[in-house]
Amino acid sequence: MNQMVLVSSSSEVEAHVRATIDAWPEVGLTVLPTPLPPDAGTLLRALGTEQAPDVVILGPVDTPGCVLTLAAGLAELAPHTSVVLIGELDAEALLEALRSGVRDVLPPGADLATLRAALERAGSSALAQRSSAGPVPTRRRTDAPRARVITVVSPKGGVGKTTVSTNLAVGLGQSEPGSTVIVDLDVQFGDVASAMQLSPESSVLDAVGSSGADSMVLKTFLTPHTSGLYALCAPEHPAGADQVSGEDVTALLQKLSRQFRYVVVDTSAGLTEHTLGALEHTTDLLLLCGMDVPSVRAMRKELDILDELGLTGPTRSVLLNYVDSHSGLTVKDIEGMLGCTVDIELPRSREVPLSTNRGVPLLAAGSRDAAAKELAKLVARYAPPTTERPQRRVRHLLGAR
């Protein structure tokens, strides 16, 4: 890291940031006075340097309504810069912030260890972005959006694949209604329909049985959900799994990716024929494991197999579920066993089983639970930021008067 920038009206926040930066002699800190610059260009010009900072820390500030616009502008003008926001946000506002380009959100009272960890993550992300080969192109609004097929896998059952898949799909569906479809590839015992309180008239079996169907016919097999997404559910009877091949799955996902911007695929445990078929057309792989040794070891084996097969995809993320401090393991222990970084930590929560039993995903219910906030962060990893935010809406989300 080379440079961090702080824009804050809080002397306490400034003192905490300075105390954290003191441990990194190679990092410089620039403190800009509040109020916030009106846009990203003004902020960058105020620094008086040719190179954009690695990390920009915002808040708590006097004009919170500018935060999302500023973050989105930095995402456009300085793609490698990581933005860390200090503020108390509910799940909806958090999702808006992360979608606008904010890398992390911390509560105002975060201790030094939490602040340091967040700044380390932000700095590492900035360095990775800067060192990637070639310039980062600016996406034009006239460009055709590229479909993202996000496949959720795990070697073992009971780790929360369906919970994660349904909440991810709900969040993406809320961001752009009509843009998202979730496919239940646990063809024998899938429960996406139950988790979303759906009563489907058709299933994956019907969709693959109409291999020559055009896009309009294919859409008749989908079940709409109130959040603005569509679902292609598992067959009612487990015997239907024998009539679906891996090639059928690949062809199905190809068709769906031509109709939808996001295709979320919930899979069964292990590397079944259906899962392997989905991985052939996956753009983003999301791997889940629980916070227990058997689950982590199984994940390590699955990672090795997928690497050998060349099926880890262009983008791979690891989600650790049921995170708590009483498991006898730490996140670092698990990263050591996996041989890779944990990208998302989903805390253990009493709200999750309640939402499953009600058939209402946390993000559909507008929950303020800690797990809902982390799921919102997960959604923001896939939903693109946009600078086109109505100012009145932004101020409302961040609590401005």
Side-chain angles (χ1 to χ4, degrees):
M1 287 179 284
N2 296 317
Q3 186 183 25
M4 291 190 181
V5 174
L6 171 66
V7 185
S8 175
S9 60
S10 168
S11 57
E12 182 179 358
V13 168
E14 181 178 342
H16 278 197
V17 171
R18 288 190 182 280
T20 303
I21 298 299
D22 286 344
W24 297 325
E26 73 279 9
V27 177
L29 176 65
T30 300
V31 180
L32 296 180
T34 54
L36 277 177
D39 52 57
T42 302
L43 185 150
L44 295 175
R45 287 192 296 273
L47 295 175
T49 60
E50 295 184 0
Q51 182 172 306
D54 294 289
V55 180
V56 173
I57 308 156
L58 305 174
V61 293
D62 296 329
T63 53
C66 298
V67 172
L68 300 191
T69 301
L70 182 57
L74 284 170
E76 290 287 332
L77 297 179
H80 87 269
T81 298
S82 295
V83 178
V84 176
L85 175 62
I86 298 175
E88 199 67 56
L89 307 183
D90 59 23
E92 183 185 6
L94 176 64
L95 179 58
E96 290 289 329
L98 294 170
R99 203 176 282 141
S100 295
V102 174
R103 174 64 177 77
D104 214 336
V105 178
L106 300 176
D111 56 31
L112 288 179
T114 301
L115 177 61
R116 179 186 176 89
L119 295 183
E120 285 179 340
R121 288 194 299 268
S124 298
S125 175
L127 289 177
Q129 287 282 351
R130 180 184 290 160
S131 62
S132 60
V136 179
T138 300
R139 182 179 181 272
R140 300 178 182 271
R141 287 189 59 82
T142 54
D143 293 343
R146 180 170 179 261
R148 302 188 74 163
V149 180
I150 307 164
T151 302
V152 184
V153 303
S154 175
K156 288 185 173 291
V159 297
K161 287 192 302 299
T162 299
T163 295
V164 170
S165 298
T166 52
N167 278 280
L168 175 57
V170 164
L172 293 172
Q174 290 172 335
S175 70
E176 295 181 60
S179 68
T180 304
V181 62
I182 182 171
V183 181
D184 192 345
L185 277 192
D186 188 350
V187 187
Q188 283 190 309
F189 302 107
D191 51 9
V192 164
S194 173
M196 303 184 75
Q197 211 171 53
L198 297 174
S199 300
E201 297 181 359
S202 304
S203 71
V204 171
L205 183 60
D206 301 301
V208 300
S210 301
S211 57
D214 60 25
S215 60
M216 292 301 295
V217 173
L218 181 60
K219 205 162 186 177
T220 63
F221 300 126
L222 308 180
T223 304
H225 185 259
T226 54
S227 63
L229 64 87
Y230 292 89
L232 185 54
C233 300
E236 184 177 354
H237 301 291
D242 296 334
Q243 302 176 49
V244 182
S245 68
E247 291 78 9
D248 290 332
V249 169
T250 301
L252 174 64
L253 295 183
Q254 288 174 338
K255 291 181 180 180
L256 290 173
S257 64
R258 289 194 290 267
Q259 298 182 55
F260 294 93
R261 185 163 192 180
Y262 303 105
V263 182
V264 179
V265 184
D266 186 26
T267 64
S268 59
L271 293 175
T272 65
E273 179 186 8
H274 305 131
T275 298
L276 292 172
L279 293 176
E280 292 285 350
H281 198 67
T282 293
T283 62
D284 299 85
L285 178 61
L286 181 59
L287 300 117
L288 268 69
C289 69
M291 207 164 183
D292 59 274
V293 171
S295 178
V296 177
R297 287 180 174 171
M299 175 62 75
R300 174 68 268 177
K301 293 178 183 178
E302 183 165 77
L303 281 167
D304 291 339
I305 293 171
L306 292 175
D307 284 336
E308 290 176 9
L309 296 174
L311 292 176
T312 52
T315 303
R316 184 187 77 184
S317 302
V318 175
L319 186 150
L320 180 61
N321 203 2
Y322 309 127
V323 174
D324 63 36
S325 58
H326 306 292
S327 66
L329 293 174
T330 66
V331 175
K332 286 188 176 180
D333 292 333
I334 291 170
E335 290 179 332
M337 286 188 281
L338 289 176
C340 64
T341 301
V342 170
D343 301 290
I344 307 106
E345 300 173 26
L346 196 60
R348 187 179 295 277
S349 166
R350 291 182 296 179
E351 291 294 319
V352 171
L354 290 174
S355 71
T356 301
N357 291 337
R358 289 196 299 262
V360 182
L362 287 179
L363 294 186
S367 172
R368 296 172 180 262
D369 182 74
K373 292 186 177 183
E374 294 305 312
L375 287 166
K377 290 183 182 180
L378 174 64
V379 173
R381 294 175 71 90
Y382 304 105
T386 175
T387 58
E388 296 181 3
R389 302 279 175 194
Q391 191 68 18
R392 186 175 181 182
R393 169 68 170 162
V394 169
R395 291 182 179 275
H396 169 69
L397 287 172
L398 291 180
R401 295 291 187 266

